[in-house]
Amino acid sequence: MGEFGVLFGPGAVKHEGFKTCDQSGFCKRNRAFADHAASSANAWTSPYGILPGTIKIDNGQFTASIVKKLEEGSEAVYPLKVNFLQSGIARLNVDELKRQQKDIELRHGSQARKERYNEASSWALVAEDKPDSSAKAEKSQDETIVNYGPKGRYRAVIKYSPFSIDFFRDDEVQVKFNGKGLLNIEHWRPKVEKEKKEEEESKEGESPPTAEAALKPSEDESTWWEETFGGNTDSKPKGPESVGLDIIFPGYEHVYGVPGHASSLSLKQTRGGSGNYDQPYRLYNSDVFEYEMDSPMTLYGAIPFMQAHRKDSTVGVFWLNAAETWIDIVKRKASSNPLSLGIGGKTDTETHWFSESGLLDVFVFLGPTSKDVISQYSELTGYTQLPQQFAIAYHQCRWNYVTDEDVKDVDKKMDRHRIPYDIIWLDIEYTDGKKYFTWDSHTFPDPIGMQKQLDSHDRKLVVIIDPHIKNEGNYPVVDELKSKSLAVKNKDNNIYEGWCWPGSSHWVDCFNPAAVEWWRSLFTYKSFTGTAPNTFLWNDMNEPSVFNGPETTMPKDNLHFGNWEHRDVHNINGMTFVNATFDALLHRDPSSPRRPFVLTRSYYAGSQRLGAMWTGDNQAIWSHLAASIPMILTHNIAGFPFAGADVGGFFGNPSKELLTRWYQVGAFYPFFRGHAHIDTRRREPYLAGDPYREIITQALRLRYSLLPSWYTAFHTASVSGAPILQPHYYVHPSDEAGFALEDQFYLSGTGLLVKPVVTEGADSVSIYLPPNELYYDYFTYTVHKGAGSAVTLPAPLDTIPILMRAGHIFPRKDRARRSSGLMQHDPYTLIVSLDPQSPHAEGELYIDDGESYDYKDGAYIHRRFVFSGVDSKLTSEDLATKPAKEKKRKEYLKSMAGVRVEKIVIVGAPVGWEGKESVSVVEDGESGEREVEMRFFKGEGGRADWAVVRDPGVGVGRGWSIAF
């Protein structure tokens, strides 16, 4: 939920409430530094260099001291570490010696830590790979060359003066650090009080610096010591401490990632020009009310992970810094021939990263594929959680279902209209006066009875709990928060008080291990009375949102556990809260722990380990529907695939056409939830009326029928980091015409290509198909041959444009049920999509109990299905790894012994099958083979031939083969 509770129709973001680069002191300084370097042209030299005598190389690690010459003749010293890891990842880490040794003085009597924040890795990373002890270094007078990584195919060239690093793969430079000389680490310096101060403190809305000041950025002290914005003054006790670095991707025109922004998939330039932005991409988790489209403005989460892609090559960088961060992007076309007028030249993407505080800590991934880069990043920061099965089904939510009878009524009406759903949600109004861990006894007198009704159809309840705790007497939760000193402190080290939904509030400090332990105790069934095993959690407002704070968040000079300033940890703050909630749910049922489900609005790199996210407070307008696709694709390639957007739009009342189309798009969101503002009209699917209700229901049933494919996709993501929704460039890395495509996508490895309708009144879509690829319409089996161009697909209101790519096999369940839990033992259908000219296809199916951690002990089924055109045979192969202990595996397989494959559909069936009436089935555990009926259907009117094997009777967990 956004800050404001009254809705007068869709509006616009209040820009005056959020900083531009010119209003953010360190952003303005670093941009001015870059402008100064650019204006100096060839005369510019970076002032940072390595002292050769300090270099040490040992066990895959390069260490040295970087020095910066200061105007007064002294030097600032920066310890440098470059780690080369066995996986091929390289990590650059630069600290500041004076702060590292605590040899600085803080102003205003501040109790903040003197060091640069050095604990981001403990939150964002699960493990750093082992050092590459086989890395070989060659040291010379001017540089050190390190060969590292698998088969030694990567190389880093570390130059001493000025300091820079070029990263090579296969003898071609892929990434350059400090190639433009924009490294800038603001050293500590004491404030010198001048007798006559010529400059007043920074004022809100102040004009940018003059051209003369821009040429001497180091002399502009106006934002070194204090900054005022929105009536709040940041005391900045450590003075200026930003870090900045230019990172160049030579020959790469497209860069992706760094969510969250309401922007394009392929990131835009930020230094002005037609179609470009004039502001950098900002990462500063914020409660942005009614955010605007096509903007680099910050939103609720921050993942500073960027990929660069060109034909058949992907590289990436991860900027590990939790402070406010901005990223400038410029693309320069360089001609290889000065007479070619730019024709045939390559494009370099130049990025400039800068953060307000903390270390310079950057990881480099050299690919060569996007799959490699995302996998390495995910191995570093953690794979996405394998959620419970219900969590990937449909969620019904609004602010607010007002009573427990209201909830039960919605539940009954969904059943009455045969509309499947799994979870119903409660926003803040369920509480007693917005006091979390309580129920309003007047409106929710029987929460257990409400949940028993839900449980009768295997449905769940999600309740909201935010990090702000109401500051009110006789409220045990806030009393303990105060008495145990577990809240965030202000700059004076007293408990911080701000304003949020409850009014006066305090914020739990989940950086504190004691706070996490205390938080865990609040979720026991005894403490949080009225909850049950089917109750799960929603963490909102965790940026944190503070209604009376600067930029609707917490002052940067607030203090967290360990006396770290909030400025140092801001973007990680939301993740620590979700971490505490996840931990609490995990320990709620210690005898039989189930996988937690937590939805978060604020997130950082690593949050994917803990649950789902959504794109926040969107609007019920067509542009927000369209923007949701590139936003969710961006999260998928940035390692956080469990992503969604509010179906129907949070603010405003969608037309019935828009609502219907949104459900059709939402059926392909990894996180699929309908949600609405308290002042909107009720819009449960059964209220839509004909024909909309039935069309929405069909979209929901499509989602449920494909749940086996979705769950398999989530499993793949949980072990490899692979995106669940995959953009064109990821699947077709050679097809340059599709690198910027952002309105169509594939569902994991199923071969399903989806191009949703996102424009009003449309009855067709134009979908791009790559060269030499064969596709079939999901519903009609109409044939479409790719030629590197777009084809038109009919898309009346009742149709979702979906194609099946030849060469794939995917599972589904065709029996309509009320909830996913009731589908557990239903039979499966396999869809085999063949190219008759080259009939080969593969696919996977992963199954477990959908709720526990027993799969870690082998209690799961994982099959690969392969159709071979050589012998016209479909086989089921076991991909499961044999566990150390067989008990749980055997028990689970026994429970699934009766679950079978009831139908196999082969689209693109070879013409030679015409007239064939049966197939031969061989199954493990049976003697001999048996004949099963098959029917062949001749395609007409552009449709493919297809065949159906009805009830082959094979167990879904067994090995078998079917000969055609």
Side-chain angles (χ1 to χ4, degrees):
M1 295 180 299
E3 175 186 355
F4 305 101
V6 179
L7 180 69
F8 299 100
V13 65
K14 297 185 181 298
H15 285 281
E16 65 275 13
F18 299 92
K19 290 182 180 180
T20 63
C21 183
D22 279 343
Q23 293 169 317
S24 177
F26 80 94
C27 183
K28 181 170 66 174
R29 296 194 302 271
N30 276 277
R31 263 196 159 185
F33 184 74
D35 291 342
H36 175 58
S39 66
S40 301
N42 294 334
W44 174 253
T45 301
S46 173
Y48 296 83
I50 288 177
L51 289 175
T54 66
I55 294 174
K56 294 181 180 179
I57 306 169
D58 182 51
N59 194 32
Q61 184 180 74
F62 173 98
T63 61
S65 292
I66 296 175
V67 296
K68 176 175 67 172
K69 301 290 185 182
L70 305 179
E71 289 185 1
E72 60 271 23
S74 60
E75 295 178 338
V77 181
Y78 304 96
L80 163 70
K81 290 188 296 185
V82 185
N83 291 329
F84 300 96
L85 308 177
Q86 288 181 1
S87 62
I89 300 172
R91 181 182 189 180
L92 167 75
N93 183 285
V94 184
D95 204 337
E96 179 184 354
L97 185 63
K98 210 168 185 65
R99 297 185 200 258
Q100 189 182 66
Q101 296 177 340
K102 305 179 185 178
D103 186 22
I104 69 171
E105 298 176 3
L106 303 183
R107 301 168 61 243
H108 311 300
S110 172
Q111 297 182 44
R113 290 280 284 269
K114 293 183 177 181
E115 308 101 297
R116 289 180 174 272
Y117 182 61
N118 55 17
E119 297 179 2
S121 59
S122 66
W123 292 101
L125 308 185
V126 290
E128 187 173 341
D129 195 5
K130 294 179 181 178
D132 184 1
S133 57
S134 65
K136 297 178 180 179
E138 300 176 11
K139 182 180 174 184
S140 67
Q141 182 177 351
D142 301 317
E143 64 186 23
T144 293
I145 299 175
V146 181
N147 291 281
Y148 67 101
K151 299 181 180 179
R153 67 183 303 194
Y154 304 148
R155 184 169 79 251
V157 178
I158 306 171
K159 295 185 181 297
Y160 306 155
S161 183
F163 167 70
S164 68
I165 308 181
D166 291 350
F167 293 93
F168 291 76
R169 185 187 69 233
D170 299 333
D171 297 324
E172 185 177 5
V173 65
Q174 307 288 333
V175 182
K176 298 171 70 72
F177 282 3
N178 205 35
K180 295 182 68 65
L182 303 185
L183 174 63
N184 185 33
I185 306 174
E186 294 183 318
H187 62 280
W188 181 82
R189 78 288 311 274
K191 183 179 182 182
V192 179
E193 300 292 345
K194 299 179 181 179
E195 293 184 7
K196 183 177 180 180
K197 192 171 182 180
E198 297 178 357
E199 290 185 296
E200 294 298 322
E201 295 173 353
S202 175
K203 298 294 192 299
E204 182 178 354
E206 157 181 68
S207 299
T210 63
E212 182 179 354
L215 290 174
K216 297 182 178 181
S218 61
E219 296 182 1
D220 180 11
E221 300 182 20
S222 63
T223 56
W224 278 7
W225 311 109
E226 284 184 349
E227 282 189 63
T228 299
F229 184 82
N232 292 272
T233 298
D234 177 6
S235 62
K236 301 182 73 169
K238 294 183 282 187
E241 53 176 330
S242 75
V243 295
L245 179 69
D246 63 280
I247 301 174
I248 302 173
F249 302 101
Y252 289 88
E253 183 175 355
H254 294 277
V255 288
Y256 312 90
V258 296
H261 302 95
S263 185
S264 54
L265 177 66
S266 179
L267 300 175
K268 295 186 177 184
Q269 299 186 65
T270 61
R271 281 292 201 154
S274 177
N276 299 329
Y277 301 140
D278 59 9
Q279 293 288 308
Y281 284 90
R282 190 185 188 201
L283 296 174
Y284 187 64
N285 297 354
S286 301
D287 183 355
V288 182
F289 176 73
E290 294 181 330
Y291 56 85
E292 65 182 357
M293 299 292 94
D294 193 20
S295 171
M297 186 177 184
T298 191
L299 290 178
Y300 309 93
I303 301 179
F305 170 45
M306 178 182 285
Q307 295 177 54
H309 182 74
R310 67 186 184 210
K311 185 176 181 179
D312 295 324
S313 180
T314 308
V315 295
V317 294
F318 171 40
W319 178 273
L320 181 53
N321 190 298
E324 178 187 351
T325 299
W326 301 73
I327 309 161
D328 263 322
I329 300 173
V330 174
K331 300 179 182 181
R332 300 190 192 278
K333 190 156 183 109
S335 173
S336 55
N337 181 345
L339 300 179
S340 66
L341 302 178
I343 300 172
K346 68 173 186 175
T347 297
D348 296 343
T349 296
E350 302 170 353
T351 66
H352 184 198
W353 303 62
F354 29 95
S355 297
E356 184 176 17
S357 64
L359 303 175
L360 185 63
D361 198 357
V362 191
F363 295 80
V364 181
F365 313 96
L366 293 179
T369 70
S370 183
K371 180 180 179 181
D372 296 327
V373 170
I374 296 172
S375 177
Q376 287 182 326
Y377 166 81
S378 298
E379 188 173 344
L380 192 69
T381 62
Y383 299 119
T384 192
Q385 177 203 23
L386 178 61
Q388 290 201 41
Q389 170 102 7
F390 79 82
I392 66 173
Y394 175 61
H395 301 245
Q396 181 62 49
C397 182
R398 74 172 282 110
W399 177 25
N400 204 88
Y401 290 116
V402 295
T403 66
D404 53 12
E405 290 299 323
D406 189 11
V407 170
K408 290 191 284 186
D409 183 60
V410 171
D411 181 63
K412 291 175 183 176
K413 287 177 177 175
M414 294 288 276
D415 280 347
R416 188 178 306 149
H417 291 278
R418 301 178 60 81
I419 300 173
Y421 89 103
D422 268 59
I423 316 96
I424 195 163
W425 291 51
L426 295 178
D427 214 314
I428 55 176
E429 310 303 332
Y430 79 92
T431 62
D432 177 13
K434 299 181 176 61
K435 296 193 291 286
Y436 300 116
F437 305 100
T438 69
W439 296 86
D440 187 319
S441 60
H442 298 291
T443 54
F444 289 87
D446 186 17
I448 292 296
M450 172 183 66
Q451 289 168 90
K452 284 182 177 178
Q453 177 178 312
L454 296 174
D455 193 49
S456 68
H457 293 150
D458 216 343
R459 292 186 176 129
K460 321 297 178 186
L461 178 74
V462 169
V463 298
I464 194 170
I465 291 184
D466 295 342
H468 49 259
I469 305 300
K470 187 173 186 176
N471 183 25
E472 179 178 282
N474 299 316
Y475 176 28
V477 175
V478 79
D479 292 342
E480 286 192 8
L481 182 73
K482 293 177 180 179
S483 66
K484 295 177 183 290
S485 191
L486 301 177
V488 178
K489 307 295 197 307
N490 62 21
K491 64 181 179 181
D492 300 316
N493 212 28
N494 299 316
I495 188 169
Y496 172 69
E497 180 182 3
W499 204 262
C500 206
W501 292 120
S504 174
S505 303
H506 302 305
W507 275 257
V508 59
D509 184 5
C510 292
F511 287 92
N512 187 343
V516 175
E517 185 175 352
W518 170 72
W519 195 249
R520 181 191 301 172
S521 72
L522 300 179
F523 285 84
T524 65
Y525 299 122
K526 182 178 179 181
S527 296
F528 194 179
T529 57
T531 58
N534 64 333
T535 307
F536 296 91
L537 266 294
W538 173 15
N539 286 163
D540 198 357
M541 314 295 284
N542 52 331
E543 293 77 24
S545 177
V546 182
F547 292 168
N548 62 334
E551 300 194 89
T552 324
T553 193
M554 195 171 280
K556 289 181 175 180
D557 49 9
N558 272 7
L559 296 175
H560 288 270
F561 176 75
N563 284 346
W564 293 112
E565 280 196 295
H566 184 72
R567 85 178 72 250
D568 298 322
V569 302
H570 175 84
N571 285 341
I572 285 180
N573 180 83
M575 180 169 71
T576 69
F577 184 59
V578 181
N579 176 71
T581 301
F582 184 95
D583 174 80
L585 291 180
L586 193 61
H587 288 85
R588 187 175 61 175
D589 297 292
S591 61
S592 57
R594 297 194 295 173
R595 294 170 237 168
F597 171 74
V598 186
L599 176 71
T600 182
R601 190 172 71 177
S602 180
Y603 51 89
Y604 188 72
S607 292
Q608 69 272 7
R609 306 187 299 262
L610 305 169
M613 60 73 59
W614 91 108
T615 61
D617 297 343
N618 58 0
Q619 299 182 48
I621 52 180
W622 288 93
S623 61
H624 278 246
L625 169 60
S628 70
I629 297 175
M631 292 175 76
I632 292 171
L633 284 175
T634 296
H635 285 86
N636 270 261
I637 62 168
F640 202 159
F642 201 0
D646 285 343
V647 170
F650 180 66
F651 289 113
N653 294 301
S655 67
K656 291 186 177 182
E657 180 193 1
L658 175 57
L659 182 64
T660 302
R661 289 300 195 188
W662 214 316
Y663 269 97
Q664 293 175 339
V665 177
F668 288 92
Y669 292 160
F671 173 62
F672 183 17
R673 181 183 74 156
H675 187 38
H677 190 278
I678 196 170
D679 289 335
T680 61
R681 294 190 295 268
R682 294 288 285 256
R683 60 167 96 132
E684 287 72 28
Y686 51 77
L687 296 175
D690 293 332
Y692 307 99
R693 178 178 59 229
E694 181 58 28
I695 297 172
I696 291 171
T697 301
Q698 290 303 320
L700 287 161
R701 288 178 180 166
L702 176 63
R703 171 61 168 238
Y704 275 72
S705 72
L706 288 172
L707 280 178
S709 287
W710 280 98
Y711 198 66
T712 301
F714 269 91
H715 170 261
T716 302
S718 75
V719 296
S720 71
I724 292 171
L725 298 191
Q726 300 177 351
H728 186 91
Y729 86 88
Y730 181 91
V731 179
H732 303 285
S734 301
D735 186 16
E736 295 176 282
F739 289 171
L741 280 176
E742 61 181 16
D743 57 358
Q744 61 185 65
F745 52 84
Y746 289 90
L747 172 54
S748 189
T750 63
L752 291 174
L753 175 60
V754 187
K755 174 65 182 282
V757 175
V758 295
T759 54
E760 186 174 10
D763 58 8
S764 65
V765 296
S766 178
I767 186 169
Y768 174 86
L769 300 181
N772 305 314
E773 294 281 353
L774 185 65
Y775 295 84
Y776 305 103
D777 185 278
Y778 180 84
F779 301 102
T780 68
Y781 305 158
T782 300
V783 180
H784 298 279
K785 294 182 179 179
S789 58
V791 300
T792 299
L793 301 181
L797 187 61
D798 63 355
T799 299
I800 307 173
I802 308 171
L803 299 180
M804 300 181 291
R805 184 184 178 198
H808 293 265
I809 302 172
F810 63 89
R812 72 185 188 202
K813 290 188 174 184
D814 291 341
R815 300 188 183 185
R817 301 289 188 186
R818 298 177 182 184
S819 69
S820 66
L822 301 178
M823 300 167 62
Q824 185 175 10
H825 293 97
D826 283 352
Y828 288 80
T829 293
L830 297 180
I831 309 298
V832 182
S833 178
L834 296 179
D835 182 344
Q837 304 303 314
S838 179
H840 180 87
E842 294 188 15
E844 292 185 16
L845 171 64
Y846 175 85
I847 316 168
D848 59 30
D849 65 15
E851 61 177 14
S852 76
Y853 286 98
D854 287 354
Y855 68 90
K856 293 188 175 182
D857 294 319
Y860 67 90
I861 293 168
H862 191 190
R863 311 298 301 185
R864 176 190 289 125
F865 305 113
V866 179
F867 183 91
S868 171
V870 175
D871 53 7
S872 290
K873 186 177 290 187
L874 176 65
T875 58
S876 174
E877 304 171 354
D878 192 6
L879 293 179
T881 302
K882 188 175 182 179
K885 297 180 181 179
E886 286 280 335
K887 181 181 178 182
K888 287 187 176 180
R889 174 173 172 79
K890 289 180 178 178
E891 290 175 350
Y892 179 69
L893 292 178
K894 183 178 180 181
S895 73
M896 295 291 289
V899 180
R900 71 189 198 285
V901 176
E902 70 170 351
K903 184 167 58 175
I904 300 172
V905 179
I906 303 93
V907 183
V911 67
W913 293 3
E914 188 171 4
K916 190 175 180 63
E917 297 181 349
S918 66
V919 294
S920 299
V921 177
V922 176
E923 185 173 12
D924 291 352
E926 294 185 359
S927 59
E929 62 181 32
R930 49 190 167 85
E931 295 295 308
V932 175
E933 177 191 0
M934 184 195 85
R935 294 187 63 189
F936 181 90
F937 299 88
K938 189 68 178 174
E940 297 177 354
R943 300 171 70 192
D945 297 339
W946 78 97
V948 178
V949 178
R950 296 190 181 278
D951 200 10
V954 291
V956 73
R958 295 180 182 175
W960 46 261
S961 66
I962 301 176
F964 289 82

